[in-house]
């Protein structure tokens, strides 16, 4: 198989997941740019790509994102501060559907976590990676990732409880269950 054919197969198989990962980190427009750059790196380094390419590609996308954030650090910090201000303003519209409110509460709980905790949780819950693959993306051992995931889940649970205890009318927030190596996470409503 030629490098061109291997790249074409790699692109077709992994592009949607790399785009989803990059988009979750930086939004759709910049995520598309990061995805393009990721596959440009993959083309240049075709011989370095392992048999399971997705964790390697997500690691490249993560590094490109970190590089972008370093370059644009000040603007990013201002955007995060503004997002936090909006989240903490507590502005709620009474006629918004319960599902939207539930999602907002879950996102608020997630937003209250550190960037590292959010990334650990989303690699497993949103991107469907197992601990070994997610550890590869983060450049750490599987054991280290498992510890980080456990701690991030506990912090998320405390954040959800804090939001849930904020007052009446707050719906149950989805809770991600433990994930085995080969399974996708399940989401269940948490009782208050």
């Amino acid at each position: 198989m030629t490098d061109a054919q291997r790249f074409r197969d790699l692109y077709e198989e992994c592009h949607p997941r790399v785009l989803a990962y990059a988009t979750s980190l930086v939004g759709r427009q910049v995520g598309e740019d990061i995805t393009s750059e990721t596959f440009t790196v993959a083309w240049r380094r075709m011989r370095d790509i392992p048999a399971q390419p997705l964790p390697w590609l997500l690691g490249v996308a993560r590094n490109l994102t970190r590089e972008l954030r370093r370059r644009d650090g000040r603007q990013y910090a201002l955007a995060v501060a503004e997002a936090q201000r909006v989240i903490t303003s507590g502005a709620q519209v009474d006629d918004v559907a319960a599902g939207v409110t539930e999602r907002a509460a879950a996102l608020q709980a997630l937003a209250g976590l550190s960037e590292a905790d959010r990334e650990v949780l989303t690699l497993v819950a949103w991107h469907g990676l197992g601990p070994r693959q997610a550890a590869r993306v983060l450049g750490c051992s599987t054991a280290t990732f498992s510890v980080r995931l456990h701690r991030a889940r506990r912090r998320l649970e405390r954040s959800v409880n804090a939001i849930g205890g904020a007052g009446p009318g707050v719906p149950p927030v989805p809770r991600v269950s433990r994930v085995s190596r080969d399974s996708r996470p399940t989401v269940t409503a948490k009782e208050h």
Side-chain angles (χ1 to χ4, degrees):
M1 177 183 294
T2 66
D3 281 350
Q5 180 60 42
R6 184 171 179 230
F7 180 79
R8 197 169 25 253
D9 293 345
L10 172 78
Y11 185 86
E12 287 174 8
E13 176 186 341
C14 298
H15 181 269
R17 296 195 57 198
V18 173
L19 178 61
Y21 177 71
T23 298
S24 74
L25 295 176
V26 292
R28 181 69 182 196
Q29 186 174 6
V30 178
E32 289 174 354
D33 293 341
I34 294 292
T35 301
S36 294
E37 287 182 54
T38 298
F39 282 98
T40 300
V41 171
W43 173 252
R44 281 190 237 129
R45 297 185 55 197
M46 279 301 293
R47 301 202 188 275
D48 297 333
I49 299 175
Q52 289 189 338
L54 184 61
W56 186 87
L57 290 168
L58 295 182
V60 170
R62 179 177 187 257
N63 289 339
L64 290 170
T65 300
R66 292 172 78 188
E67 213 173 279
L68 173 70
R69 286 182 175 163
R70 276 193 293 273
R71 285 192 311 258
D72 299 335
R74 178 142 167 53
Q75 288 179 344
Y76 181 75
L78 290 173
V80 168
E82 179 62 16
Q84 283 297 89
R85 186 190 67 75
V86 169
I87 288 170
T88 58
S89 71
Q92 294 284 333
V93 178
D94 291 335
D95 62 341
V96 176
V100 173
T101 304
E102 182 177 315
R103 183 174 187 270
L107 291 175
Q108 183 179 356
L110 194 59
L113 300 177
S114 69
E115 182 178 334
D117 282 349
R118 284 192 306 268
E119 185 170 30
V120 165
L121 292 165
T122 58
L123 281 172
V124 172
W126 291 353
H127 300 291
L129 297 183
R132 182 176 293 144
Q133 293 175 318
R136 174 108 194 237
V137 171
L138 298 179
C140 65
S141 71
T142 303
T144 299
F145 177 81
S146 295
V147 169
R148 289 179 185 172
L149 180 61
H150 173 76
R151 290 177 179 165
R153 283 179 174 151
R154 296 297 74 79
R155 286 188 278 270
L156 178 61
E157 187 173 354
R158 285 193 298 272
S159 181
V160 166
N161 288 339
I163 291 169
V170 177
V173 178
R175 182 171 179 227
V176 177
S177 66
R178 293 191 181 270
V179 177
S180 68
R181 288 178 202 215
D182 300 320
S183 68
R184 303 277 301 188
T186 58
V187 178
T188 57
K190 183 175 189 253
E191 296 292 327
H192 292 290

